């Protein structure tokens, strides 16, 4: 019975988090700082969730850092997602081989 109660509470909380801003903030946000802050929130959250997993995905942190560096460099140059992902993966693989460690965790 308590599992269903937990699920119900989670559903209500999730609904409230999504519904309250829509009902309480009816006008257009005019504050430039707040608009800028809200624009970057999804990117910051994604980075906070992804970066630790990327660093700990290999046996050697140096290989992971090299892969992240290549990914950042290629994305700054405007390359596509597939190009960035494949180049970063190849970089991690090659650096791991050079360091004498298997590429996987």
């Amino acid at each position: 019975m308590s599992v269903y109660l937990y699920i119900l509470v989670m559903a209500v909380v999730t609904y409230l988090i999504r519904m309250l801003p829509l009902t309480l903030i009816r006008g257009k946000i005019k504050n430039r700082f707040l608009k800028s802050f809200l624009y970057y929130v999804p990117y910051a959250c994604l980075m906070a969730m992804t970066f630790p997993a990327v660093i700990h995905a290999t046996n050697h942190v140096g290989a992971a850092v090299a892969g992240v560096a290549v990914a950042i460099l290629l994305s700054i140059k405007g390359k596509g997602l597939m190009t960035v992902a494949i180049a970063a993966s190849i970089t991690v693989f090659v650096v791991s081989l050079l360091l004498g460690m298997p590429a996987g965790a």
Side-chain angles (χ1 to χ4, degrees):
M1 177 63 183
S2 64
V3 172
Y4 296 115
L5 180 63
Y6 295 148
I7 293 172
L8 178 67
V9 169
M10 287 189 305
V12 169
V13 168
T14 302
Y15 178 74
L16 287 175
I17 288 172
R18 296 178 196 296
M19 186 259 320
L20 285 177
L22 291 174
T23 58
L24 296 178
I25 304 172
R26 294 193 184 262
K28 187 171 182 172
I29 298 173
K30 296 176 185 169
N31 186 334
R32 201 168 130 191
F33 174 77
L34 186 59
K35 283 174 72 171
S36 175
F37 175 77
L38 292 175
Y39 177 80
Y40 288 109
V41 165
Y43 301 109
C45 290
L46 182 62
M47 187 65 182
M49 292 185 300
T50 306
F51 190 72
V54 168
I55 293 299
H56 296 294
T58 65
N59 290 332
H60 198 277
V61 176
V65 170
V68 168
V70 166
I72 290 172
L73 180 70
L74 290 176
S75 61
I76 287 173
K77 290 188 176 230
K79 300 299 180 187
L81 178 62
M82 284 300 289
T83 305
V84 171
I86 290 171
S89 298
I90 290 171
T91 301
V92 170
F93 181 73
V94 169
V95 171
S96 293
L97 287 178
L98 291 175
L99 294 173
M101 306 187 113

